Amino acid sequence: MKNYMEQIKKYLNMEQQVLESLIPEEINDVMNVLEDARLHNRRIFICGNGGSASTASHFECDFNKGISYDQDVKYDFECLSDNVPMMMAIANDIGYDDIFITPLKNKMKPNDVVIGISGSGNSENVCKALEYANEKGAVSVALVGYDGGRIKKMAKHSIHVNINNMQIVEDVHLIMDHLMMYILSGMME
């Protein structure tokens, strides 16, 4: 049996350091953007690739069901990463870089919110979605890692997980979902 204790402790230590380096004002800012959207019946679109797509789906579930369940005014989240047939059709016929911008062109209205999740901050299809949001008067939000990439620079609001480690970045992005859900659902009074 192999002993992984040293690597386990190192990983957990990295995670703790990153959590301690987060800027609470960034998180608070994003939470207020989301609450404003809910209270004004605006749609919130969210997208990402790979593990970030999974996190985007998790956000949609936790906000539409977990937080909204007992609220009179509910969240209206839509995960653009969840409609696989539509994404494949767009990727095949137009190009993979357009899989998120195309449904936004059909559905997004001014003052809606578009959240882009990207570990690197440079996913082209997420960049295009946030650029479009900015051009059309929506509110752009980024959840990024590494140095923040292009997405952090273009988003009006962001939460930056400043580490060059995709696993830690994705861990913390999911923690942001659960932190927000816990607080906004009233579990933490």
Side-chain angles (χ1 to χ4, degrees), residues 42-171:
R42 295 184 182 127
R43 299 199 74 194
I44 301 168
F45 299 94
I46 190 166
C47 60
N49 297 286
S52 295
S54 175
T55 299
S57 289
H58 207 125
F59 263 90
E60 179 185 21
C61 175
D62 286 350
F63 276 72
N64 284 346
K65 188 267 180 192
I67 297 173
S68 294
Y69 187 74
D70 288 328
Q71 291 181 332
D72 292 331
V73 180
K74 301 183 183 308
Y75 277 98
D76 183 4
F77 255 78
E78 181 176 340
C79 180
L80 300 174
S81 313
D82 280 352
N83 191 330
V84 175
M86 182 180 63
M87 285 191 309
M88 294 302 96
I90 295 166
N92 185 63
D93 298 343
I94 302 168
Y96 190 76
D97 291 348
D98 289 345
I99 63 171
F100 302 136
I101 192 175
T102 301
L104 289 177
K105 288 178 179 179
N106 293 340
K107 300 177 181 185
M108 190 193 76
K109 306 269 187 285
N111 298 313
D112 283 346
V113 176
V114 178
I115 303 171
I117 306 175
S118 173
S120 69
N122 292 310
S123 300
E124 188 60 34
N125 50 15
V126 178
C127 286
K128 286 183 85 168
L130 292 185
E131 284 173 344
Y132 182 76
N134 288 339
E135 289 170 10
K136 299 300 181 182
V139 180
S140 56
V141 176
L143 272 67
V144 293
Y146 289 68
D147 67 359
R150 293 170 38 221
I151 293 169
K152 182 180 179 195
K153 292 175 187 163
M154 71 175 62
K156 294 176 184 169
H157 309 272
S158 66
I159 298 173
H160 182 199
V161 181
N162 192 8
I163 188 171
N164 293 344
N165 179 307
M166 190 61 73
Q167 288 68 44
I168 301 283
V169 169
E170 290 182 356
D171 290 345

Side-chain angles (χ1 to χ4, degrees), residues 30-46:
V30 169
M31 290 173 69
N32 278 296
V33 166
L34 300 178
E35 271 293 276
D36 184 65
R38 178 182 71 85
L39 294 172
H40 291 93
N41 296 305
R42 295 184 182 127
R43 299 199 74 194
I44 301 168
F45 299 94
I46 190 166

